Amino acid sequence: VFTRDAAGHALFEGARLDALFAGAHGLTTPAYVYSLDAIVAELDALRAGFDGAAHLVAYAVKANSAGPILRALAEHGAGADVVSGGELQVALGAGIGPESIVYSGVGKRDEELDLALTAGGPGILSIQAESVEELGRIAERAARLGRRAPVSLRVNPGVLADTHAHVATGHDEAKFGIAAAELPAAFALSTGSPHLTLVGLASHVGSQLTETTAYLDAATTLLRLAEAHQQALGALQFLDFGGGFGIDYGDGCAACPADFVRALVALVRRSPFADRRILVEPGRCLVGAHGVLCASVLMAKSARAADGEPARRWLMIDAGMNDLLRPALYGARHRIEPMASQPQAEAPRYRVVGPVCESSDDFGEAPFAEPLPRRVVIRDAGAYGFTMASQYNGRALPDEVFLRGGRVVAVLRGATVDAWVSGRLG
Ligand SMILES: Cc1ncc(COP(=O)(O)O)c(C=O)c1O
């Protein structure tokens, strides 16, 4: 999707990015640009990996909750994994049926549980319980509403994934999932309560997994557990193996999303649960590579260094950590390239930084030749980009532009500085 024409202009789904910002749409930077075609193709490729096995791709809405993306995914058969009442409402509003939505997260409010129990009339596919205590709360809300809540147990498989500590969720120290020692109580409560129906077992080991080992270890643990409790699992409809399939941010990625799915399907087919529906909860891999953050260069800054040391050079851009938090939050690195000319690997290197008053507002180094570019592209910013954006430092939220067939089909305008000013003044 991200290519260049002969003159070096960045092409994104066939659209010339710099022409978008000079065109009729009144677009300004910073702005995210997404390819809906590529996102849908990514979903189709992932689903092909299921090789006819009954499945649901419950897209992790937290990765990117934009309506045009949710609608496109819904049209191609995706469900949703949500982590709040707000995400649940946006998924429903975009046309994802409640029967295709699971609700994860360690702390759900009463009103959020009530919404999950009643959405669309019968409620959603499953509330993923992350503790025995939560099972009790779900049963209580269901009793008040005169309902039986469909629940799945999100198991902590005790697997430490080889990924950034902030996104490893399946190990013993993580707040996520029901620990092995608590499982007997969780099974007893979920199968014994008149207000709960145990419909699924779930796990999620972490995000940005670049090889399949940890994912398959957790899947094996989940299947063994299901086997050990087979008698209690009469109503079991699905096994949910979570998301986490990684993408290539520039350093390579050994396993592609369909590799995870193919290996998973082979495991499930060898188990006594071959007839149950397989759920996965991918977020990043469906949208990450298919969105870019476009920014303008404000100026360069240089500082003479001590004798013998090269001068320090910064490139100040108009996008900051409030627009794309991943570098500051995780030390993540994204490729940053000039928008309207070929990148030159041998050119002088600049530290690309934003205007926010934090040292961590730093996107890392990238090479830029003279004359310096007017605009730059921050690649692979489609996941955990806009959804983590804030108005910190009194800044606007970026616009979001959606392409289909190389044409702009939708624009979501970010909250303006004026809106921030009147909101703070009250
Ligand atoms: C429960 C759960 N499911 C799915 C995901 C999506 O992960 P990813 O975007 O890496 O696929 C997450 C992300 O943290 C999660 O916590």
Side-chain angles (χ1 to χ4, degrees), residues 85-401:
E87 284 192 0
L88 175 51
Q89 290 183 59
V90 89
L92 291 165
I96 300 177
E99 71 290 347
S100 301
I101 300 179
V102 293
Y103 185 174
S104 309
V106 289
K108 307 172 186 85
R109 302 168 66 91
D110 285 349
E111 58 271 28
E112 293 177 314
L113 290 173
D114 292 355
L115 178 64
L117 288 166
T118 55
I124 64 170
L125 172 60
S126 179
I127 300 174
Q128 318 249 45
E130 302 235 9
S131 61
V132 177
E133 293 85 341
E134 188 177 40
L135 278 170
R137 286 189 55 226
I138 298 169
E140 187 202 309
R141 297 313 299 176
R144 276 174 191 261
L145 295 169
R147 304 254 174 160
R148 244 187 124 99
V151 289
S152 37
L153 303 182
R154 173 156 172 201
V155 173
N156 183 326
V159 170
L160 181 55
D162 181 19
T163 186
H164 192 281
H166 291 186
V167 293
T169 56
H171 57 94
D172 298 336
E173 297 297 320
K175 68 179 175 178
F176 299 100
I178 303 174
E182 306 301 324
L183 279 172
F187 274 107
L189 185 53
S190 53
T191 56
S193 164
H195 297 292
L196 300 176
T197 304
L198 182 57
V199 295
L201 291 181
S203 72
H204 171 78
V205 279
S207 198
Q208 185 52 15
L209 308 175
T210 53
E211 47 117 340
T212 57
T213 316
Y215 194 78
L216 296 177
D217 284 353
T220 306
T221 304
L222 202 67
L223 286 165
R224 287 214 186 103
L225 192 72
E227 223 174 316
H229 292 82
Q230 215 166 341
Q231 271 166 352
L233 295 175
L236 194 83
Q237 295 172 16
F238 65 80
L239 288 158
D240 178 351
F241 298 97
F245 316 143
I247 64 168
D248 181 3
Y249 284 102
D251 298 327
C253 184
C256 73
D259 293 336
F260 286 83
V261 165
R262 276 191 286 269
L264 184 61
V265 169
L267 265 186
V268 175
R269 284 188 169 148
R270 288 198 297 272
S271 81
F273 299 95
D275 59 336
R276 306 303 157 98
R277 190 140 77 129
I278 300 172
L279 262 64
V280 290
E281 300 171 358
R284 184 191 313 273
C285 75
L286 295 182
V287 291
H290 309 306
V292 290
L293 177 58
C294 299
S296 294
V297 173
L298 299 173
M299 62 186 175
K301 168 178 170 175
S302 62
R304 257 187 301 266
D307 283 351
E309 299 269 325
R312 292 198 177 84
R313 290 192 193 88
W314 293 271
L315 193 73
M316 311 281 172
I317 61 172
D318 66 353
M321 63 189 286
N322 71 298
D323 302 298
L324 178 64
L325 186 60
R326 297 188 68 255
L329 188 62
Y330 305 131
R333 286 294 164 249
H334 289 252
R335 286 169 282 195
I336 309 172
E337 299 178 0
M339 192 181 283
S341 60
Q342 211 67 254
Q344 316 242 338
E346 305 308 321
R349 298 185 75 75
Y350 287 76
R351 273 209 101 80
V352 182
V353 294
V356 173
C357 289
E358 296 284 342
S359 300
S360 55
D361 186 22
D362 182 337
F363 294 105
E365 274 191 2
F368 293 103
E370 297 278 350
L372 290 173
R374 225 173 125 201
R375 299 188 192 94
V376 295
V377 187
I378 304 181
R379 295 178 59 176
D380 309 304
Y384 305 105
F386 185 91
T387 49
M388 289 188 175
S390 74
Q391 291 197 270
Y392 182 44
N393 271 203
R395 288 169 49 80
L397 283 178
D399 290 342
E400 296 180 281
V401 182

